[in-house]
Amino acid sequence: MNQLRSLLLTIAIAAFGLIGVALYLQHGRDMLPCPLCVIQRYLFLAVGIACLIGAFIGKPKIGAGVGLLAALGGLY
């Protein structure tokens, strides 16, 4: 159970890190995102938040499932 929690935290950190890079490129380098990129940011936020909730509430399988659904939404 502890390995799943650390995996969820790692996924959340990666998702928020990717959003941070995207915001840096948008505001620091003046690269405007396309509409698909904006939608991807929302889905990365959903993945990160779901993984954080799953890691800290004590139900990591539910958090992993919701994060997977958000990731599949981004794939779609």
Side-chain angles (χ1 to χ4, degrees), residues 13-42:
I13 289 170
F16 293 137
L18 288 170
I19 293 170
V21 169
L23 289 174
Y24 167 73
L25 289 175
Q26 178 181 354
H27 296 291
R29 298 289 181 171
D30 292 327
M31 296 176 69
L32 295 178
C34 66
L36 179 62
C37 295
V38 174
I39 293 170
Q40 289 293 320
R41 287 182 193 180
Y42 290 134

Side-chain angles (χ1 to χ4, degrees), residues 5-75:
R5 181 177 181 201
S6 62
L7 178 65
L8 289 174
L9 289 174
T10 304
I11 292 170
I13 289 170
F16 293 137
L18 288 170
I19 293 170
V21 169
L23 289 174
Y24 167 73
L25 289 175
Q26 178 181 354
H27 296 291
R29 298 289 181 171
D30 292 327
M31 296 176 69
L32 295 178
C34 66
L36 179 62
C37 295
V38 174
I39 293 170
Q40 289 293 320
R41 287 182 193 180
Y42 290 134
L43 291 168
F44 273 119
L45 274 174
V47 168
I49 291 171
C51 288
L52 279 180
I53 290 173
F56 288 119
I57 285 187
K59 304 263 186 188
K61 290 185 179 181
I62 293 174
V66 173
L68 178 65
L69 288 175
L72 290 175
L75 182 67

